[in-house]
mmCIF file with all atom_site columns, all heavy atoms in Angstrom:
data_model
loop_
_atom_site.group_PDB
_atom_site.id
_atom_site.type_symbol
_atom_site.label_atom_id
_atom_site.label_alt_id
_atom_site.label_comp_id
_atom_site.label_asym_id
_atom_site.label_entity_id
_atom_site.label_seq_id
_atom_site.pdbx_PDB_ins_code
_atom_site.Cartn_x
_atom_site.Cartn_y
_atom_site.Cartn_z
_atom_site.occupancy
_atom_site.B_iso_or_equiv
_atom_site.pdbx_formal_charge
_atom_site.auth_seq_id
_atom_site.auth_comp_id
_atom_site.auth_asym_id
_atom_site.auth_atom_id
_atom_site.pdbx_PDB_model_num
ATOM 1   N N   . LYS A 1 32  ? -10.014 -0.179  -10.375 1.00 76.00 ? 32  LYS A N   1
ATOM 2   C CA  . LYS A 1 32  ? -11.294 -0.871  -10.463 1.00 76.00 ? 32  LYS A CA  1
ATOM 3   C C   . LYS A 1 32  ? -11.742 -1.387  -9.103  1.00 76.00 ? 32  LYS A C   1
ATOM 4   O O   . LYS A 1 32  ? -12.916 -1.510  -8.831  1.00 76.00 ? 32  LYS A O   1
ATOM 5   C CB  . LYS A 1 32  ? -11.248 -1.987  -11.510 1.00 76.00 ? 32  LYS A CB  1
ATOM 6   C CG  . LYS A 1 32  ? -10.347 -3.155  -11.199 1.00 76.00 ? 32  LYS A CG  1
ATOM 7   C CD  . LYS A 1 32  ? -10.484 -4.222  -12.296 1.00 76.00 ? 32  LYS A CD  1
ATOM 8   C CE  . LYS A 1 32  ? -9.329  -5.182  -12.359 1.00 76.00 ? 32  LYS A CE  1
ATOM 9   N NZ  . LYS A 1 32  ? -8.939  -5.793  -11.094 1.00 76.00 ? 32  LYS A NZ  1
ATOM 10  N N   . LEU A 1 108 ? -22.669 -19.535 4.000   1.00 52.00 ? 108 LEU A N   1
ATOM 11  C CA  . LEU A 1 108 ? -22.874 -20.305 5.216   1.00 52.00 ? 108 LEU A CA  1
ATOM 12  C C   . LEU A 1 108 ? -24.013 -19.722 6.043   1.00 52.00 ? 108 LEU A C   1
ATOM 13  O O   . LEU A 1 108 ? -24.782 -20.439 6.661   1.00 52.00 ? 108 LEU A O   1
ATOM 14  C CB  . LEU A 1 108 ? -21.595 -20.271 6.064   1.00 52.00 ? 108 LEU A CB  1
ATOM 15  C CG  . LEU A 1 108 ? -20.571 -21.354 5.825   1.00 52.00 ? 108 LEU A CG  1
ATOM 16  C CD1 . LEU A 1 108 ? -19.332 -21.063 6.614   1.00 52.00 ? 108 LEU A CD1 1
ATOM 17  C CD2 . LEU A 1 108 ? -21.138 -22.704 6.213   1.00 52.00 ? 108 LEU A CD2 1
ATOM 18  N N   . GLY A 1 157 ? -33.912 -7.818  -13.593 1.00 36.00 ? 157 GLY A N   1
ATOM 19  C CA  . GLY A 1 157 ? -33.232 -6.547  -13.801 1.00 36.00 ? 157 GLY A CA  1
ATOM 20  C C   . GLY A 1 157 ? -32.740 -6.460  -15.239 1.00 36.00 ? 157 GLY A C   1
ATOM 21  O O   . GLY A 1 157 ? -32.489 -7.461  -15.877 1.00 36.00 ? 157 GLY A O   1
ATOM 22  N N   . ARG A 1 171 ? -30.316 -28.111 -15.276 1.00 28.00 ? 171 ARG A N   1
ATOM 23  C CA  . ARG A 1 171 ? -31.283 -28.862 -14.486 1.00 28.00 ? 171 ARG A CA  1
ATOM 24  C C   . ARG A 1 171 ? -31.621 -28.106 -13.207 1.00 28.00 ? 171 ARG A C   1
ATOM 25  O O   . ARG A 1 171 ? -30.797 -27.355 -12.696 1.00 28.00 ? 171 ARG A O   1
ATOM 26  C CB  . ARG A 1 171 ? -30.750 -30.270 -14.184 1.00 28.00 ? 171 ARG A CB  1
ATOM 27  C CG  . ARG A 1 171 ? -29.532 -30.289 -13.316 1.00 28.00 ? 171 ARG A CG  1
ATOM 28  C CD  . ARG A 1 171 ? -28.883 -31.653 -13.410 1.00 28.00 ? 171 ARG A CD  1
ATOM 29  N NE  . ARG A 1 171 ? -27.622 -31.629 -12.710 1.00 28.00 ? 171 ARG A NE  1
ATOM 30  C CZ  . ARG A 1 171 ? -27.498 -31.894 -11.416 1.00 28.00 ? 171 ARG A CZ  1
ATOM 31  N NH1 . ARG A 1 171 ? -28.558 -32.188 -10.707 1.00 28.00 ? 171 ARG A NH1 1
ATOM 32  N NH2 . ARG A 1 171 ? -26.327 -31.853 -10.843 1.00 28.00 ? 171 ARG A NH2 1
ATOM 33  N N   . LEU A 1 198 ? -7.612  -12.051 -21.303 1.00 62.00 ? 198 LEU A N   1
ATOM 34  C CA  . LEU A 1 198 ? -7.395  -13.337 -21.967 1.00 62.00 ? 198 LEU A CA  1
ATOM 35  C C   . LEU A 1 198 ? -8.418  -14.395 -21.566 1.00 62.00 ? 198 LEU A C   1
ATOM 36  O O   . LEU A 1 198 ? -8.785  -15.247 -22.358 1.00 62.00 ? 198 LEU A O   1
ATOM 37  C CB  . LEU A 1 198 ? -6.005  -13.868 -21.601 1.00 62.00 ? 198 LEU A CB  1
ATOM 38  C CG  . LEU A 1 198 ? -4.857  -13.527 -22.541 1.00 62.00 ? 198 LEU A CG  1
ATOM 39  C CD1 . LEU A 1 198 ? -3.569  -14.090 -21.981 1.00 62.00 ? 198 LEU A CD1 1
ATOM 40  C CD2 . LEU A 1 198 ? -5.116  -14.059 -23.933 1.00 62.00 ? 198 LEU A CD2 1
ATOM 41  N N   . ALA A 1 237 ? 21.966  -19.186 -19.843 1.00 87.00 ? 237 ALA A N   1
ATOM 42  C CA  . ALA A 1 237 ? 21.355  -18.063 -20.568 1.00 87.00 ? 237 ALA A CA  1
ATOM 43  C C   . ALA A 1 237 ? 21.119  -16.887 -19.638 1.00 87.00 ? 237 ALA A C   1
ATOM 44  O O   . ALA A 1 237 ? 21.319  -15.729 -20.012 1.00 87.00 ? 237 ALA A O   1
ATOM 45  C CB  . ALA A 1 237 ? 20.034  -18.519 -21.192 1.00 87.00 ? 237 ALA A CB  1
ATOM 46  N N   . GLY A 1 254 ? 21.487  6.848   -13.148 1.00 63.00 ? 254 GLY A N   1
ATOM 47  C CA  . GLY A 1 254 ? 20.417  6.342   -12.288 1.00 63.00 ? 254 GLY A CA  1
ATOM 48  C C   . GLY A 1 254 ? 20.648  4.945   -11.763 1.00 63.00 ? 254 GLY A C   1
ATOM 49  O O   . GLY A 1 254 ? 21.780  4.463   -11.746 1.00 63.00 ? 254 GLY A O   1
ATOM 50  N N   . GLU A 1 267 ? 19.199  -23.002 -7.443  1.00 83.00 ? 267 GLU A N   1
ATOM 51  C CA  . GLU A 1 267 ? 19.530  -22.266 -8.662  1.00 83.00 ? 267 GLU A CA  1
ATOM 52  C C   . GLU A 1 267 ? 20.233  -20.951 -8.331  1.00 83.00 ? 267 GLU A C   1
ATOM 53  O O   . GLU A 1 267 ? 21.158  -20.540 -9.020  1.00 83.00 ? 267 GLU A O   1
ATOM 54  C CB  . GLU A 1 267 ? 18.257  -21.968 -9.468  1.00 83.00 ? 267 GLU A CB  1
ATOM 55  C CG  . GLU A 1 267 ? 17.644  -23.165 -10.153 1.00 83.00 ? 267 GLU A CG  1
ATOM 56  C CD  . GLU A 1 267 ? 16.793  -24.024 -9.219  1.00 83.00 ? 267 GLU A CD  1
ATOM 57  O OE1 . GLU A 1 267 ? 16.707  -23.698 -8.019  1.00 83.00 ? 267 GLU A OE1 1
ATOM 58  O OE2 . GLU A 1 267 ? 16.224  -25.016 -9.689  1.00 83.00 ? 267 GLU A OE2 1
ATOM 59  N N   . THR A 1 323 ? 9.340   -11.721 -4.763  1.00 60.00 ? 323 THR A N   1
ATOM 60  C CA  . THR A 1 323 ? 9.119   -10.427 -5.414  1.00 60.00 ? 323 THR A CA  1
ATOM 61  C C   . THR A 1 323 ? 9.721   -9.283  -4.611  1.00 60.00 ? 323 THR A C   1
ATOM 62  O O   . THR A 1 323 ? 9.586   -9.234  -3.398  1.00 60.00 ? 323 THR A O   1
ATOM 63  C CB  . THR A 1 323 ? 7.607   -10.184 -5.571  1.00 60.00 ? 323 THR A CB  1
ATOM 64  O OG1 . THR A 1 323 ? 7.036   -11.333 -6.135  1.00 60.00 ? 323 THR A OG1 1
ATOM 65  C CG2 . THR A 1 323 ? 7.355   -8.994  -6.455  1.00 60.00 ? 323 THR A CG2 1
ATOM 66  N N   . SER A 1 468 ? 9.827   -24.065 8.901   1.00 83.00 ? 468 SER A N   1
ATOM 67  C CA  . SER A 1 468 ? 10.436  -24.415 10.180  1.00 83.00 ? 468 SER A CA  1
ATOM 68  C C   . SER A 1 468 ? 10.950  -23.186 10.933  1.00 83.00 ? 468 SER A C   1
ATOM 69  O O   . SER A 1 468 ? 11.443  -22.245 10.335  1.00 83.00 ? 468 SER A O   1
ATOM 70  C CB  . SER A 1 468 ? 11.595  -25.375 9.937   1.00 83.00 ? 468 SER A CB  1
ATOM 71  O OG  . SER A 1 468 ? 12.279  -25.612 11.148  1.00 83.00 ? 468 SER A OG  1
ATOM 72  N N   . CYS A 1 518 ? 16.654  -15.553 19.845  1.00 82.00 ? 518 CYS A N   1
ATOM 73  C CA  . CYS A 1 518 ? 16.414  -16.207 18.555  1.00 82.00 ? 518 CYS A CA  1
ATOM 74  C C   . CYS A 1 518 ? 17.720  -16.377 17.782  1.00 82.00 ? 518 CYS A C   1
ATOM 75  O O   . CYS A 1 518 ? 17.994  -17.451 17.238  1.00 82.00 ? 518 CYS A O   1
ATOM 76  C CB  . CYS A 1 518 ? 15.440  -15.387 17.703  1.00 82.00 ? 518 CYS A CB  1
ATOM 77  S SG  . CYS A 1 518 ? 13.731  -15.618 18.164  1.00 82.00 ? 518 CYS A SG  1
ATOM 78  N N   . ILE A 1 523 ? 16.901  -19.604 15.784  1.00 85.00 ? 523 ILE A N   1
ATOM 79  C CA  . ILE A 1 523 ? 15.462  -19.646 15.565  1.00 85.00 ? 523 ILE A CA  1
ATOM 80  C C   . ILE A 1 523 ? 15.105  -18.474 14.638  1.00 85.00 ? 523 ILE A C   1
ATOM 81  O O   . ILE A 1 523 ? 15.538  -17.346 14.874  1.00 85.00 ? 523 ILE A O   1
ATOM 82  C CB  . ILE A 1 523 ? 14.682  -19.484 16.898  1.00 85.00 ? 523 ILE A CB  1
ATOM 83  C CG1 . ILE A 1 523 ? 15.044  -20.583 17.895  1.00 85.00 ? 523 ILE A CG1 1
ATOM 84  C CG2 . ILE A 1 523 ? 13.187  -19.398 16.648  1.00 85.00 ? 523 ILE A CG2 1
ATOM 85  C CD1 . ILE A 1 523 ? 14.346  -21.888 17.704  1.00 85.00 ? 523 ILE A CD1 1
ATOM 86  N N   . ASP A 1 533 ? 1.111   -16.544 15.890  1.00 81.00 ? 533 ASP A N   1
ATOM 87  C CA  . ASP A 1 533 ? -0.128  -15.984 15.367  1.00 81.00 ? 533 ASP A CA  1
ATOM 88  C C   . ASP A 1 533 ? -1.150  -17.095 15.106  1.00 81.00 ? 533 ASP A C   1
ATOM 89  O O   . ASP A 1 533 ? -2.296  -17.033 15.555  1.00 81.00 ? 533 ASP A O   1
ATOM 90  C CB  . ASP A 1 533 ? 0.208   -15.235 14.067  1.00 81.00 ? 533 ASP A CB  1
ATOM 91  C CG  . ASP A 1 533 ? -0.944  -14.385 13.597  1.00 81.00 ? 533 ASP A CG  1
ATOM 92  O OD1 . ASP A 1 533 ? -1.678  -13.896 14.471  1.00 81.00 ? 533 ASP A OD1 1
ATOM 93  O OD2 . ASP A 1 533 ? -1.108  -14.230 12.371  1.00 81.00 ? 533 ASP A OD2 1
ATOM 94  N N   . VAL A 1 542 ? -10.606 -23.549 19.208  1.00 91.00 ? 542 VAL A N   1
ATOM 95  C CA  . VAL A 1 542 ? -10.934 -24.791 19.918  1.00 91.00 ? 542 VAL A CA  1
ATOM 96  C C   . VAL A 1 542 ? -11.576 -24.468 21.274  1.00 91.00 ? 542 VAL A C   1
ATOM 97  O O   . VAL A 1 542 ? -12.432 -25.209 21.745  1.00 91.00 ? 542 VAL A O   1
ATOM 98  C CB  . VAL A 1 542 ? -9.715  -25.730 20.091  1.00 91.00 ? 542 VAL A CB  1
ATOM 99  C CG1 . VAL A 1 542 ? -9.182  -26.159 18.748  1.00 91.00 ? 542 VAL A CG1 1
ATOM 100 C CG2 . VAL A 1 542 ? -8.633  -25.099 20.934  1.00 91.00 ? 542 VAL A CG2 1
ATOM 101 N N   . ILE A 1 605 ? 6.719   -45.454 11.365  1.00 90.00 ? 605 ILE A N   1
ATOM 102 C CA  . ILE A 1 605 ? 6.621   -44.005 11.569  1.00 90.00 ? 605 ILE A CA  1
ATOM 103 C C   . ILE A 1 605 ? 5.273   -43.466 11.093  1.00 90.00 ? 605 ILE A C   1
ATOM 104 O O   . ILE A 1 605 ? 4.604   -44.083 10.268  1.00 90.00 ? 605 ILE A O   1
ATOM 105 C CB  . ILE A 1 605 ? 7.726   -43.229 10.791  1.00 90.00 ? 605 ILE A CB  1
ATOM 106 C CG1 . ILE A 1 605 ? 7.650   -43.575 9.289   1.00 90.00 ? 605 ILE A CG1 1
ATOM 107 C CG2 . ILE A 1 605 ? 9.095   -43.519 11.347  1.00 90.00 ? 605 ILE A CG2 1
ATOM 108 C CD1 . ILE A 1 605 ? 8.420   -42.625 8.404   1.00 90.00 ? 605 ILE A CD1 1
ATOM 109 N N   . VAL A 1 611 ? 7.442   -35.269 0.136   1.00 78.00 ? 611 VAL A N   1
ATOM 110 C CA  . VAL A 1 611 ? 7.687   -34.505 -1.083  1.00 78.00 ? 611 VAL A CA  1
ATOM 111 C C   . VAL A 1 611 ? 8.778   -35.175 -1.896  1.00 78.00 ? 611 VAL A C   1
ATOM 112 O O   . VAL A 1 611 ? 9.799   -35.610 -1.353  1.00 78.00 ? 611 VAL A O   1
ATOM 113 C CB  . VAL A 1 611 ? 8.077   -33.045 -0.757  1.00 78.00 ? 611 VAL A CB  1
ATOM 114 C CG1 . VAL A 1 611 ? 8.566   -32.321 -1.993  1.00 78.00 ? 611 VAL A CG1 1
ATOM 115 C CG2 . VAL A 1 611 ? 6.891   -32.291 -0.179  1.00 78.00 ? 611 VAL A CG2 1
#
Side-chain angles (χ1 to χ4, degrees):
Chain A
K32 67 176 160 50
L108 270 173
R171 65 196 173 88
L198 267 178
E267 288 81 358
T323 311
S468 174
C518 280
I523 301 279
D533 192 32
V542 298
I605 57 165
V611 170

